[in-house]
Amino acid sequence: MSSNKRTGRISRRNFIKSVAVITGSAALPGAALRRAQAQPVRGGTLRYGLSAEPRRMNQLNTTWMTDATQHLYDRLVTRSPDGKYVPHLAEWSVTDDQLTWTFKLKPNVKFHSGEPLTSEAIKWWFEQARDPKGFYGFKGSYAGVREITTPDPLTTVVKTEYPSAGLLFILYTVYSSIHNPKTYDKLGKDAYGVNSVDGTGAFKLKEFTPGNRLIIERNDDYKWAPPFAANQGAAYLDSIVYRHFADDASRTAAIEAGDMDIIVQPNLADVDRLKQNANFTVISKPMPATRTVFFNSEAKPWSDKRVRQAMAHAIQRGPIIDRLLFGHGVAAHSVVPPMFKEMFLADTATYFPYDIRKGKELLAAAGLEDKDGDGFVEFEGKVWEPEMLVAAVSELNQLAQVVQAQAGRIGIKIKITQLDAESVNARTLSGNFGILTGFYLWDGPDTILDWWMHSGNIPSTNRSRTRDPQVDAVIERMRRAGTMEARNGATLDLQKILHGDLATVIPVYHPLDTYVISKKVQGYTPNPYTLYPRMHDVWLTR
Amino acid sequence: MTRYLIHRSLFLLPMMLVISALVFVAMRMIPVDPAELVVGPYATAEQRELARQKLGLDKPIIAQYGIYLLNALQGDLGRSFKSGKEVTALIADTLPNTLLLGSVALTFAYLLAIPMGVLAAIRQNTLIDQGAMTIALIGISVPNFWLGLLLILTFAVGLRWLPATGSGTWAHLVLPSITLGLQYTAIVARMTRSSVLEVLRQDYVRALHAKGLERRKVVYVHALKNAVIPIISLMGLHISAVVGGSVIVETIFAWPGTGQLLINSIIGRDFPVVQAVLTLLGATVLLANLLADVLYTLADPRIKYSAHR
């Protein structure tokens, strides 16, 4: 057995450099450096304004977690600010054949209830995650797990059917948080994660009142922070109060009025004004997300890849970023955001550049021409007016309108149908659509490519209904990759096929996660690779 | 009166049944699979089917409604898909806040509107009348989402006199109450004005003046008592409207009431919660109308109810 142990410290300078390169943000390095000079103080309550309502804090019963979950639980593996997988609750090693994983737990880790964390809890978690009768939404990621044994209280050995480097990703996510099985079983899966949780995280659940607030308080026993945290002991903050604001303007007003200390996603139109306000620091970090134009590859004439490629040539990203997002986005040419450096294919920017002439040529080659001179192409003897679905979300709706106008430049007369998100979901599931504006938010873009493109995932997750033997073969290679290097290689190949040829998805932009932070909040450093920020190093000035 | 109340209360039960059935059927007509909300978009078909069985969605809709009704009668409205909390607990947490906000808003509205309406009526066609009616017009015309933000920007962000959002102290109540109450102020003021004007033209008022009664006594003791009758019926409507209509105000001010619970549950397709809150709103309308009828009899002794009406 070869040992492949990781350690994961990263200097603040390297982190700042990596984020600044990605975002081009001038505000972040200044803010972070200012904070580096201050001395942390213990105590205080951080008031945190959320854009999404908190949900139950049990990943076995929900597919949408809340920020607090990050702090209530820990995971076996975590991800450093430069995107590397590093040990958290456990060091790991894997055999040369990549089929046997050994997780060695840190000693003296305790749950909030005071019980020690042992390998039995890890075994329990793996069993829950792969339970065929469970509702766990990411069961597929544990499909290769064959056997779990616990030779001693700190060691868990996991044997897999095939090599799976992707296991590290799912183990790092908040969806692989570690629970105390005894508390879980005592409360039952419906009640657990609602009023009580029993994790090992740096904060304990104090109160959850949906529609009002979620309060977490410091776990004073905490001594097992992730390796990249500056503070290796208990958190500085006494507690964090999360409140949800459905309205962007109200959330923005709340921090301006002094009701909140941090808010996420302010009104985009207010961001520049807030940056001028000396009371706040505004940080925009890349979000592991992509807004896209998405096709049903079985709906005529979108089924002809030349038509989809023509649309790809029609998309002009600059005005979308500048005018729709007020500059708070990054042009996307791949489903994979550029921050995932090792799996991002930079060449995608050159595949289908904005080119109206080429777009029209491709449409003509596919038999779609403007014969009556009205400016729009005909299909089956009449003007082609494809329906574009859009969920009733203002950002997607605005994107749809821009895409509609840009498609008009190559002669496609798009008709927009706005529906509620679930109706869009139902229609895409049944294949009753041709084109839509969509998005994903997930910190594993390689997994997205698997979900969206493998023919075995039709119709549930492969809504574009892509059926391509070459794609399937590459995804199989990705799934069974024993190393991250091999998995990343397959991800690069997939982007080449998807964005260079099939064009069943046209990436448009990667949004930014924007935080407005009161000057009294210190030590906050965003991690672009995680969905939820960490609060372990955060403290408040008096 | 007692017989009437018993009769009306008995009538409420079938009405509640109809409302709950309509809400239940409407929720099932939405083209959304609640099972998918439980297992998420990346679940397998097998997982979806398991979730459907767990939620009882594999049964005929009549059976589903029967189970729902049976559980509801035992106080079990199910659990929220999103938070996992019992729906009854969610309503118990939020309804008092909505009632508090609503009652303060209506008290503010009526305390302001009735004197304003009376003043406008007795000073008809003067600057006072025009000023009061202009305020009323603004109150009706200004959308409360805009007014709310304006008040926040002025009194919370600018002057820092009051908190912008949240709950917990009397100060948190001020801005949402004004925002919610102002539209009712406008309606009640206009109604009061026209009602007082109508009463002031009655023969008995002329007779009171002829008897040499002080004008203030004529207006406030005799005329207003009769003018207030239509306003009471309006109050019944306002009580139900304020519970249902606080959705926007609660959202702007992040006020933890049923309005915000409803809107968040609709956005999150949290069916058990939406179903319960909509049924509750239906019940509020019925109860508010009953209350208005009772108040009507107290204000106007000529009105007598009987169980056989």
Coordinates of all heavy atoms in Angstrom, one line a residue, chain A residues 268-314:
Chain A
L268 N -27.4 44.4 -7.4 CA -26.2 44.6 -8.2 C -26.1 46.1 -8.5 O -25.0 46.6 -8.6 CB -26.3 43.8 -9.5 CG -26.1 42.3 -9.3 CD1 -26.2 41.6 -10.7 CD2 -24.7 42.0 -8.7
A269 N -27.2 46.7 -8.7 CA -27.2 48.2 -9.1 C -26.6 49.0 -7.9 O -26.1 50.1 -8.2 CB -28.6 48.7 -9.4
D270 N -26.5 48.5 -6.7 CA -26.0 49.2 -5.6 C -24.6 48.9 -5.3 O -24.0 49.6 -4.4 CB -26.8 48.9 -4.3 CG -28.2 49.4 -4.3 OD1 -28.4 50.5 -4.9 OD2 -29.2 48.8 -3.8
V271 N -24.0 47.9 -5.9 CA -22.6 47.5 -5.6 C -21.6 48.6 -5.7 O -20.8 48.8 -4.8 CB -22.2 46.2 -6.4 CG1 -20.8 45.9 -6.2 CG2 -23.1 45.1 -6.0
D272 N -21.6 49.3 -6.8 CA -20.6 50.4 -7.0 C -20.8 51.4 -5.9 O -19.8 52.0 -5.4 CB -20.7 51.0 -8.4 CG -20.2 50.0 -9.4 OD1 -19.4 49.1 -9.0 OD2 -20.5 50.1 -10.6
R273 N -22.0 51.8 -5.6 CA -22.2 52.8 -4.5 C -21.7 52.3 -3.2 O -21.1 53.0 -2.4 CB -23.8 53.1 -4.4 CG -24.1 54.1 -3.4 CD -25.6 54.4 -3.5 NE -26.4 53.3 -3.3 CZ -26.7 52.8 -2.1 NH1 -26.2 53.4 -1.0 NH2 -27.5 51.7 -1.9
L274 N -22.0 51.0 -2.9 CA -21.5 50.4 -1.6 C -20.0 50.4 -1.5 O -19.4 50.6 -0.5 CB -22.1 49.0 -1.4 CG -23.6 49.0 -1.2 CD1 -24.1 47.6 -1.3 CD2 -23.9 49.5 0.2
K275 N -19.3 50.2 -2.7 CA -17.9 50.2 -2.7 C -17.3 51.5 -2.3 O -16.2 51.6 -1.8 CB -17.4 49.8 -4.1 CG -17.4 48.3 -4.3 CD -16.9 48.0 -5.7 CE -16.9 46.5 -6.0 NZ -16.6 46.1 -7.4
Q276 N -18.0 52.6 -2.6 CA -17.6 53.9 -2.2 C -17.8 54.2 -0.7 O -17.3 55.2 -0.2 CB -18.4 55.0 -3.0 CG -18.3 54.8 -4.5 CD -16.9 54.7 -5.1 OE1 -16.1 55.5 -4.7 NE2 -16.7 53.7 -6.0
N277 N -18.6 53.4 -0.1 CA -18.9 53.7 1.3 C -17.8 53.1 2.3 O -17.5 51.9 2.2 CB -20.3 53.0 1.7 CG -20.8 53.4 3.0 OD1 -20.0 53.6 4.0 ND2 -22.1 53.4 3.1
A278 N -17.2 54.0 3.0 CA -16.1 53.6 3.9 C -16.4 52.6 5.0 O -15.6 52.0 5.6 CB -15.4 54.9 4.5
N279 N -17.7 52.5 5.2 CA -18.2 51.6 6.3 C -18.2 50.1 5.9 O -18.4 49.2 6.7 CB -19.6 51.9 6.8 CG -19.6 53.3 7.4 OD1 -18.7 53.6 8.2 ND2 -20.6 54.1 7.1
F280 N -18.0 49.9 4.6 CA -18.2 48.5 4.1 C -17.0 48.1 3.2 O -16.3 48.9 2.6 CB -19.4 48.3 3.2 CG -20.7 48.8 3.9 CD1 -21.4 49.8 3.5 CD2 -21.1 48.2 5.1 CE1 -22.6 50.3 4.1 CE2 -22.2 48.6 5.8 CZ -23.0 49.6 5.3
T281 N -16.8 46.8 3.2 CA -15.9 46.2 2.2 C -16.8 45.3 1.3 O -17.6 44.6 1.8 CB -14.8 45.3 2.9 OG1 -14.1 46.1 3.8 CG2 -13.9 44.7 1.8
V282 N -16.6 45.5 0.0 CA -17.4 44.6 -0.9 C -16.4 43.6 -1.6 O -15.4 44.0 -2.2 CB -18.0 45.5 -2.0 CG1 -18.8 44.7 -3.0 CG2 -19.0 46.5 -1.4
I283 N -16.7 42.4 -1.4 CA -15.9 41.3 -2.0 C -16.7 40.6 -3.0 O -17.8 40.1 -2.8 CB -15.4 40.3 -0.9 CG1 -14.5 41.0 0.0 CG2 -14.8 39.1 -1.6 CD1 -14.0 40.1 1.1
S284 N -16.2 40.4 -4.2 CA -16.8 39.6 -5.2 C -15.9 38.4 -5.6 O -14.8 38.6 -6.0 CB -17.1 40.4 -6.5 OG -18.0 41.4 -6.3
K285 N -16.4 37.3 -5.3 CA -15.6 36.1 -5.6 C -16.2 35.3 -6.7 O -17.5 35.3 -6.8 CB -15.3 35.3 -4.3 CG -16.5 34.4 -3.9 CD -16.1 33.5 -2.8 CE -17.2 32.5 -2.3 NZ -17.5 31.5 -3.3
P286 N -15.4 34.5 -7.4 CA -16.1 33.7 -8.4 C -17.0 32.7 -7.8 O -16.7 32.2 -6.7 CB -14.9 33.0 -9.1 CG -13.7 33.7 -8.6 CD -14.0 34.3 -7.3
M287 N -18.1 32.4 -8.5 CA -19.0 31.4 -8.0 C -18.9 30.2 -8.8 O -18.7 30.3 -10.0 CB -20.4 32.0 -8.2 CG -21.5 31.4 -7.3 SD -23.1 32.0 -7.8 CE -23.3 33.4 -6.8
P288 N -18.9 29.0 -8.2 CA -18.9 27.8 -9.0 C -20.2 27.5 -9.7 O -21.0 26.7 -9.3 CB -18.5 26.7 -8.0 CG -19.1 27.2 -6.7 CD -19.0 28.7 -6.7
A289 N -20.5 28.4 -10.7 CA -21.8 28.4 -11.3 C -21.7 28.9 -12.7 O -20.7 29.6 -13.0 CB -22.7 29.3 -10.5
T290 N -22.6 28.5 -13.6 CA -22.6 28.9 -15.0 C -24.0 29.2 -15.4 O -24.9 28.3 -15.1 CB -21.9 27.9 -15.9 OG1 -20.6 27.5 -15.4 CG2 -21.7 28.5 -17.3
R291 N -24.3 30.3 -16.0 CA -25.6 30.5 -16.7 C -25.4 30.1 -18.1 O -24.4 30.5 -18.8 CB -25.9 32.0 -16.6 CG -26.0 32.6 -15.2 CD -27.0 31.9 -14.3 NE -27.2 32.5 -13.0 CZ -26.8 32.0 -11.9 NH1 -26.2 30.9 -11.8 NH2 -27.0 32.7 -10.7
T292 N -26.4 29.4 -18.6 CA -26.2 28.8 -20.0 C -27.5 29.0 -20.8 O -28.6 29.3 -20.4 CB -26.0 27.3 -19.8 OG1 -27.2 26.7 -19.2 CG2 -24.8 26.9 -18.9
V293 N -27.2 28.7 -22.1 CA -28.3 28.5 -23.1 C -28.3 27.0 -23.3 O -27.2 26.4 -23.6 CB -28.2 29.2 -24.4 CG1 -29.2 28.8 -25.4 CG2 -28.2 30.7 -24.1
F294 N -29.4 26.3 -23.1 CA -29.4 24.9 -23.0 C -30.4 24.3 -24.1 O -31.5 24.9 -24.3 CB -29.9 24.5 -21.6 CG -29.6 23.2 -21.1 CD1 -28.5 22.9 -20.4 CD2 -30.4 22.1 -21.4 CE1 -28.2 21.7 -19.9 CE2 -30.2 20.8 -20.9 CZ -29.0 20.6 -20.2
F295 N -30.0 23.3 -24.8 CA -30.8 22.7 -25.9 C -31.3 21.3 -25.6 O -30.6 20.5 -24.9 CB -30.0 22.7 -27.2 CG -29.5 24.0 -27.7 CD1 -28.3 24.4 -27.4 CD2 -30.4 24.8 -28.4 CE1 -27.8 25.6 -27.8 CE2 -29.9 26.1 -28.8 CZ -28.6 26.5 -28.5
N296 N -32.4 21.0 -26.2 CA -32.9 19.6 -26.3 C -32.3 19.0 -27.6 O -32.8 19.4 -28.7 CB -34.4 19.5 -26.2 CG -34.9 18.1 -26.4 OD1 -34.1 17.1 -26.6 ND2 -36.2 17.9 -26.2
S297 N -31.4 18.2 -27.6 CA -30.7 17.7 -28.8 C -31.6 16.8 -29.6 O -31.2 16.3 -30.7 CB -29.4 17.0 -28.5 OG -29.6 15.9 -27.7
E298 N -32.8 16.5 -29.1 CA -33.7 15.6 -29.9 C -34.8 16.4 -30.5 O -35.7 15.9 -31.2 CB -34.3 14.5 -29.0 CG -33.2 13.5 -28.6 CD -33.8 12.4 -27.6 OE1 -34.9 12.6 -27.1 OE2 -33.1 11.4 -27.4
A299 N -34.9 17.7 -30.2 CA -36.0 18.6 -30.8 C -35.6 19.2 -32.1 O -34.5 19.9 -32.1 CB -36.4 19.6 -29.7
K300 N -36.3 19.0 -33.1 CA -36.0 19.5 -34.4 C -36.3 21.0 -34.5 O -37.3 21.4 -33.9 CB -36.8 18.8 -35.5 CG -36.2 17.4 -35.8 CD -37.0 16.8 -37.0 CE -36.4 15.5 -37.3 NZ -37.1 14.8 -38.4
P301 N -35.5 21.8 -35.2 CA -34.2 21.5 -35.8 C -33.0 21.7 -34.9 O -31.9 21.6 -35.4 CB -34.2 22.5 -37.0 CG -34.9 23.7 -36.4 CD -35.9 23.2 -35.5
W302 N -33.2 21.9 -33.6 CA -32.1 22.0 -32.7 C -31.3 20.7 -32.7 O -30.1 20.7 -32.3 CB -32.5 22.3 -31.3 CG -33.2 23.6 -31.1 CD1 -34.5 23.8 -30.6 CD2 -32.7 24.9 -31.3 NE1 -34.8 25.1 -30.5 CE2 -33.7 25.8 -31.0 CE3 -31.5 25.4 -31.8 CZ2 -33.5 27.2 -31.1 CZ3 -31.3 26.8 -31.9 CH2 -32.3 27.7 -31.5
S303 N -31.9 19.6 -33.2 CA -31.2 18.3 -33.2 C -30.0 18.3 -34.1 O -29.1 17.5 -34.0 CB -32.2 17.2 -33.6 OG -32.9 17.6 -34.7
D304 N -30.0 19.3 -35.1 CA -28.9 19.4 -36.0 C -27.9 20.3 -35.3 O -28.1 21.5 -35.0 CB -29.4 20.1 -37.3 CG -28.3 20.2 -38.4 OD1 -27.1 20.3 -38.0 OD2 -28.6 20.2 -39.6
K305 N -26.7 19.7 -35.0 CA -25.7 20.5 -34.2 C -25.3 21.8 -34.9 O -24.8 22.7 -34.2 CB -24.5 19.6 -33.9 CG -23.6 19.3 -35.1 CD -22.4 18.4 -34.6 CE -21.6 18.0 -35.7 NZ -20.5 17.0 -35.3
R306 N -25.4 21.9 -36.3 CA -25.1 23.2 -36.9 C -26.0 24.3 -36.5 O -25.5 25.5 -36.4 CB -25.2 23.0 -38.4 CG -24.1 22.1 -39.0 CD -24.3 21.7 -40.4 NE -25.5 21.0 -40.6 CZ -25.9 20.4 -41.8 NH1 -25.1 20.6 -42.8 NH2 -27.0 19.8 -41.9
V307 N -27.2 24.0 -36.1 CA -28.1 25.0 -35.7 C -27.7 25.5 -34.3 O -27.7 26.7 -34.0 CB -29.6 24.5 -35.6 CG1 -30.6 25.6 -35.2 CG2 -30.0 24.0 -37.0
R308 N -27.3 24.6 -33.5 CA -26.8 24.9 -32.1 C -25.5 25.7 -32.2 O -25.3 26.7 -31.5 CB -26.7 23.7 -31.3 CG -27.9 22.8 -31.1 CD -27.8 21.8 -30.1 NE -26.7 20.8 -30.3 CZ -26.9 19.6 -30.9 NH1 -28.1 19.2 -31.3 NH2 -25.8 18.8 -31.0
Q309 N -24.7 25.3 -33.1 CA -23.4 26.0 -33.3 C -23.6 27.4 -33.8 O -22.9 28.4 -33.4 CB -22.5 25.2 -34.3 CG -22.0 23.9 -33.7 CD -21.3 23.0 -34.8 OE1 -21.4 23.3 -36.0 NE2 -20.6 22.0 -34.3
A310 N -24.7 27.6 -34.7 CA -25.0 28.9 -35.2 C -25.4 29.8 -34.0 O -25.0 31.0 -33.9 CB -26.1 28.8 -36.2
M311 N -26.2 29.2 -33.1 CA -26.6 30.0 -31.9 C -25.4 30.4 -31.0 O -25.3 31.5 -30.5 CB -27.6 29.2 -31.0 CG -29.0 29.4 -31.3 SD -29.6 31.1 -31.1 CE -29.6 31.2 -29.3
A312 N -24.4 29.4 -31.0 CA -23.2 29.7 -30.2 C -22.4 30.9 -30.8 O -21.9 31.7 -30.0 CB -22.3 28.5 -30.1
H313 N -22.4 31.0 -32.1 CA -21.8 32.2 -32.8 C -22.6 33.4 -32.5 O -22.0 34.5 -32.6 CB -21.7 31.9 -34.3 CG -20.5 31.1 -34.7 ND1 -19.2 31.5 -34.4 CD2 -20.4 29.9 -35.4 CE1 -18.4 30.5 -34.8 NE2 -19.1 29.6 -35.4
A314 N -23.9 33.4 -32.2 CA -24.7 34.6 -32.1 C -24.6 35.2 -30.7 O -24.9 36.3 -30.5 CB -26.1 34.2 -32.4

